[in-house]
Amino acid sequence: MAALTIATGTGNWFSALALGVTLLKCLLIPTYHSTDFEVHRNWLAITHSLPISQWYYEATSEWTLDYPPFFAWFEYILSHVAKYFDQEMLNVHNLNYSSSRTLLFQRFSVIFMDVLFVYAVRECCKCIDGKKVGKELTEKPKFILSVLLLWNFGLLIVDHIHFQYNGFLFGLMLLSIARLFQKRHMEGAFLFAVLLHFKHIYLYVAPAYGVYLLRSYCFTANKPESAASSLFPTLSFQEGPLSCILGSKLLGFVQCFGQSAVCHRLLSVGKAGDASIFLILTTTGHYSLFPLLFTAPELPIKILLMLLFTIYSISSLKTLFRKEKPLFNWMETFYLLGLGPLEVCCEFVFPFTSWKVKYPFIPLLLTSVYCAVGITYAWFKLYVSVLIDSAIGKTKKQ
Ligand SMILES: *[C@@H]1O[C@H](CO)[C@@H](O)[C@H](O)[C@H]1NC(C)=O
């Protein structure tokens, strides 16, 4: 907090936010990590010790390399740093190898790659206009957006506890979005293409990108500039998270909820109605990530971080939109508060009941169903909001 106060004086609050969360990430190094840790160790070993022709055929470990080529090259480059930490992690036959140096290297590689994410957040912040300038720093949309992105609960637990590299991939996506906002369309399209070569899950967002680029870059001959830029929020941001959610339901990518939440948050600093959709989507999406961390020592960490993030996002957006109608209606409030009792039932009451042995899947089932209701509702509300907006737009034109 002291660092933040000093930094704000010099206008350098952004660095303080980034540095603060980096320290938090370092504190999370010793926490539980999932099998994804071994997945990435194995990919380091494969790309380091085998010729390219073998990368996609090597199957000593069950975790074969199944990400697109750029990610494989990324692991290849990382492996040349990894060898200075511990050569043993680069042996394809060393299954489940996890020395303390291996752990340090892998954790630090995720933290280090987040530099790209931090840069992208900065670029995104430049895209929001500072018309709603509050007196206080903490009331500025740029500050709120930075906190919501940099200190994102989903990214923290999925990347820095569970173990994955979503941070820099999101960074690429945010950067690409920022370039579109800055009307540097070719660059934006290029960055998105690069992203697809890293992780194919982003294919869900591709249709929205395609439509947006066609309308705002390819067919702009007789259209005013402003029309092109106003299209972006309705097409890319909203379709993006939607297709992402749909995909996650079909394919079971839990972390996708977190992703969609991140895509969506840029919207939240625009309109009060969108802020409420955003809050329902993020809170529910983040809660749906809870089952990823099922170990006892991480229980207080995840609950505390989630509470911190949720309380901050609700209170900051409330301040930002204090002149407009309340963020939630009674039903939404009731639903969000219900997450509390749900958590108590699933993690504190259920383990002591006789059903624990016979029906161990019940907490997961309850969580999934409860979150699915909220996410579907937010999705529905988003469609209604988009339709109303475009109807109003049309009437204004006439
Ligand atoms: C590696 O760990 C996984 C999961 O923890 C386990 O299923 C597998 O049998 C282990 N493999 C070896 C060779 O120890």
Side-chain angles (χ1 to χ4, degrees):
M1 248 7 242
L4 189 66
T5 321
I6 294 165
T8 48
T10 60
N12 211 3
W13 53 267
F14 188 85
S15 319
L17 281 179
L19 216 69
V21 78
T22 306
L23 285 178
L24 177 66
K25 289 169 188 173
C26 291
L27 288 178
L28 295 176
I29 286 178
T31 53
Y32 150 86
H33 54 79
S34 71
T35 46
D36 280 333
F37 183 85
E38 166 63 6
V39 171
H40 288 285
R41 187 215 52 83
N42 184 48
W43 294 358
L44 283 174
I46 290 176
T47 52
H48 191 80
S49 55
L50 298 172
I52 301 176
S53 58
Q54 292 300 304
W55 286 4
Y56 286 97
Y57 292 96
E58 162 59 43
T60 307
S61 159
E62 62 185 301
W63 312 117
T64 51
L65 178 51
D66 56 5
Y67 268 26
F70 280 12
F71 206 93
W73 283 103
F74 165 67
E75 295 277 4
Y76 175 78
I77 295 167
L78 275 187
S79 74
H80 284 279
V81 185
K83 66 184 177 199
Y84 296 108
F85 279 75
D86 187 347
Q87 192 79 37
E88 284 305 299
M89 76 171 108
L90 300 173
N91 183 341
V92 173
H93 301 283
N94 258 348
L95 297 183
N96 293 345
Y97 184 78
S98 152
S99 64
S100 55
R101 282 166 160 254
T102 306
L103 180 81
L104 273 184
F105 171 75
Q106 294 242 75
R107 287 285 198 205
F108 275 130
S109 67
V110 181
I111 297 174
F112 177 77
M113 285 312 292
D114 278 357
V115 169
L116 183 62
F117 177 65
V118 173
Y119 172 70
V121 173
R122 218 190 151 93
E123 288 298 299
C124 268
C125 281
K126 285 187 193 159
C127 299
I128 42 176
D129 58 28
K131 265 183 233 152
K132 265 190 179 167
V133 186
K135 287 147 226 130
E136 294 274 333
L137 168 74
T138 50
E139 288 181 18
K140 284 192 174 53
K142 276 181 201 213
F143 180 85
I144 296 172
L145 183 71
S146 304
V147 177
L148 294 184
L149 287 170
L150 291 176
W151 286 73
N152 181 264
F153 169 80
L155 276 180
L156 278 177
I157 71 159
V158 176
D159 276 17
H160 301 277
I161 301 182
H162 180 85
F163 196 85
Q164 277 184 10
Y165 288 92
N166 296 298
F168 87 91
L169 296 171
F170 265 131
L172 271 176
M173 180 147 138
L174 283 180
L175 197 57
S176 155
I177 291 173
R179 292 299 178 243
L180 294 184
F181 263 118
Q182 295 159 352
K183 303 223 163 61
R184 291 152 74 172
H185 294 102
M186 287 296 255
E187 232 177 294
F190 174 77
L191 285 169
F192 185 69
V194 169
L195 175 65
L196 281 185
H197 285 77
F198 270 103
K199 193 167 175 174
H200 43 294
I201 199 174
Y202 290 93
L203 214 53
Y204 295 128
V205 200
Y209 258 87
V211 173
Y212 172 71
L213 282 171
L214 278 177
R215 297 200 59 174
S216 68
Y217 184 68
C218 302
F219 305 131
T220 49
N222 46 14
K223 217 184 273 164
E225 282 269 294
S226 60
S229 61
S230 69
L231 257 174
F232 190 70
T234 38
L235 286 173
S236 288
F237 282 2
Q238 295 176 352
E239 233 173 81
L242 297 188
S243 41
C244 200
I245 292 162
L246 180 67
S248 60
K249 275 191 190 141
L250 294 174
L251 299 164
F253 286 109
V254 185
Q255 79 266 33
C256 200
F257 288 118
Q259 295 184 2
S260 56
V262 175
C263 308
H264 198 85
R265 83 198 32 220
L266 277 169
L267 258 180
S268 68
V269 194
K271 263 177 40 197
D274 287 336
S276 98
I277 299 171
F278 159 78
L279 287 171
I280 298 168
L281 203 56
T282 342
T283 311
T284 320
H286 283 164
Y287 184 77
S288 76
L289 293 170
F290 265 32
L292 274 183
L293 305 184
F294 48 84
T295 43
E298 280 71 29
L299 185 69
I301 302 181
K302 72 176 179 187
I303 294 180
L304 267 174
L305 277 179
M306 166 98 178
L307 275 179
L308 211 74
F309 187 83
T310 309
I311 292 172
Y312 176 77
S313 36
I314 293 179
S315 64
S316 63
L317 291 177
K318 254 202 172 116
T319 322
L320 201 59
F321 297 109
R322 60 177 169 258
K323 291 193 191 97
E324 298 175 47
K325 63 177 176 20
L327 285 180
F328 303 117
N329 59 34
W330 66 268
M331 189 179 67
E332 294 162 354
T333 313
F334 186 76
Y335 173 83
L336 288 178
L337 288 176
L339 288 170
L342 180 67
E343 170 67 3
V344 172
C345 285
C346 289
E347 306 224 41
F348 298 95
V349 177
F350 187 81
F352 300 102
T353 62
S354 56
W355 282 5
K356 186 185 161 39
V357 184
K358 223 172 152 194
Y359 309 108
F361 54 85
I362 284 185
L364 196 58
L365 185 82
L366 281 179
T367 306
S368 299
V369 171
Y370 198 89
C371 291
V373 170
I375 288 170
T376 311
Y377 170 80
W379 185 11
F380 183 74
K381 207 174 158 181
L382 187 60
Y383 259 123
V384 172
S385 149
V386 171
L387 287 177
I388 289 176
D389 275 1
S390 65
I392 291 173
K394 271 186 195 141
T395 340
K396 267 188 190 159
K397 258 187 209 159
Q398 283 165 2

